[in-house]
Amino acid sequence: MNRSKKNFMDFIPVCNPAYTWDADKKGIVTVHVENKGFYNWIAQKVFKRPRTSHIALDKYGSFVWRQMDGKRNVHEISKLVSAQFGEAAEPLVPRLVKYIQILYQNKFIGYVKRTS
């Protein structure tokens, strides 16, 4: 039985175009999520929840977010993080993989295939 195994480091993350984002002068990214749907509407009316949530990332998350351009794979991003933060980012690969998986599970990013 020939099972093809995919290496997560080869995945190419891309930011979800449904969310807008911006970065401040220090490079800190804030992702803007519009809270849509019936349950969000109720929460907005009853509990005064905001129509748009603003999620500020830390310096590591912001750096990674800005590298997810649909061209770089996780391995390439890990090299950039290492060059930018050095030892402060260690243990780099497990932390980076977990961070990207969380972004994916929460639909902040998707994955694309490399075109070449």
Side-chain angles (χ1 to χ4, degrees):
M1 187 173 184
N2 185 10
R3 295 169 107 181
S4 65
K5 291 187 178 183
K6 295 183 180 183
N7 183 347
F8 188 80
M9 297 300 281
D10 293 331
F11 285 26
I12 301 171
V14 62
C15 301
N16 184 341
Y19 303 130
T20 59
W21 63 277
D22 53 49
D24 66 14
K25 293 176 186 174
K26 294 181 181 179
I28 299 299
V29 170
T30 300
V31 181
H32 311 286
V33 179
E34 190 175 346
N35 299 311
K36 300 178 185 177
F38 179 71
Y39 294 109
N40 281 312
W41 180 81
I42 289 175
Q44 290 164 16
K45 297 297 180 192
V46 176
F47 302 111
K48 307 294 184 207
R49 304 292 284 187
R51 178 145 175 84
T52 303
S53 296
H54 305 283
I55 302 157
L57 306 178
D58 67 4
K59 67 181 179 180
Y60 301 106
S62 294
F63 182 82
V64 170
W65 183 271
R66 293 190 321 269
Q67 307 315 309
M68 294 188 290
D69 60 0
K71 297 175 185 160
R72 294 183 184 100
N73 64 27
V74 175
H75 176 70
E76 292 164 334
I77 293 171
S78 74
K79 295 294 183 193
L80 293 170
V81 172
S82 180
Q84 179 74 19
F85 297 107
E87 290 291 318
E90 294 298 333
L92 174 60
V93 173
R95 289 174 70 186
L96 179 62
V97 167
K98 187 64 176 172
Y99 178 67
I100 291 175
Q101 288 173 336
I102 290 169
L103 289 175
Y104 179 76
Q105 289 166 353
N106 288 287
K107 298 181 172 70
F108 283 97
I109 65 166
Y111 301 113
V112 296
K113 291 184 181 182
R114 178 162 278 163
T115 56
S116 41

